[in-house]
Amino acid sequence: MDAGSDVELKKELDATLHARRELGADYETALVESFLEKVEQRLDGTMEKLVRRQLAEQQTAVARGTRPSQAGDSSFGERFGFGLVSLILAVPLSAIGVTNAGIEGLVVSWAGIVGVNAVHALRARPFSGRRGRGSDQDRE
């Protein structure tokens, strides 16, 4: 997602919040669902581009007769994609949290975002002890 899309998404959020203020709480659910649908469409487009790029790289590697890289590139792509999705979803989650519960809602939203990212980062990190033992055995 580029900077232009981020600005456009922020404008969409501002318009949604402005409409909520004008229309009242009766339309809140419809407005939030509409905004989240737009965010989902953007995410789908971004993820589709990432998947296409990954497939093209793998097909190119296979056509050249080389082995597609597994650990480094895919790990970076996965972390980057997850981080991007997380930040994009942080905008509407923060707005929903603040609208419904004030600063406490914002804190809970971000605690959840940070928690999910921390778990993902720990899961994606390779086990370092195994690497060290393997290299010691190779030297002997």
Side-chain angles (χ1 to χ4, degrees):
M1 202 175 242
D2 62 4
S5 296
D6 290 342
V7 170
E8 189 176 319
L9 193 60
K10 185 177 181 332
K11 286 180 183 177
E12 290 284 343
L13 177 60
D14 290 341
T16 300
L17 292 174
H18 182 72
R20 193 248 182 225
R21 278 185 230 113
E22 286 184 8
L23 297 174
D26 295 339
Y27 293 95
E28 183 173 317
T29 302
L31 291 169
V32 169
E33 287 175 1
S34 173
F35 178 74
L36 289 177
E37 186 176 312
K38 292 173 187 175
V39 171
E40 184 178 353
Q41 289 171 353
R42 296 254 169 78
L43 287 174
D44 288 345
T46 301
M47 293 309 292
E48 186 176 327
K49 288 178 188 176
L50 289 172
V51 168
R52 282 185 191 171
R53 184 183 321 151
Q54 180 91 19
L55 288 174
E57 289 172 1
Q58 289 176 355
Q59 289 172 347
T60 303
V62 168
R64 290 180 180 164
T66 60
R67 203 174 114 218
S69 60
Q70 295 290 326
D73 293 341
S74 66
S75 177
F76 172 76
E78 181 183 341
R79 289 190 319 259
F80 179 76
F82 192 83
L84 183 68
V85 169
S86 177
L87 286 174
I88 291 169
L89 289 177
V91 173
L93 289 174
S94 297
I96 293 168
V98 167
T99 302
N100 291 324
I103 192 72
E104 294 87 7
L106 181 66
V107 170
V108 169
S109 301
W110 276 94
I113 293 164
V114 169
V116 167
N117 279 283
V119 168
H120 180 73
L122 291 174
R123 183 191 63 83
R125 202 170 85 195
F127 181 62
S128 59
R130 188 173 48 191
R131 184 179 196 190
R133 279 183 268 163
S135 60
D136 289 343
Q137 289 174 352
D138 292 339
R139 289 183 202 153
E140 292 177 7

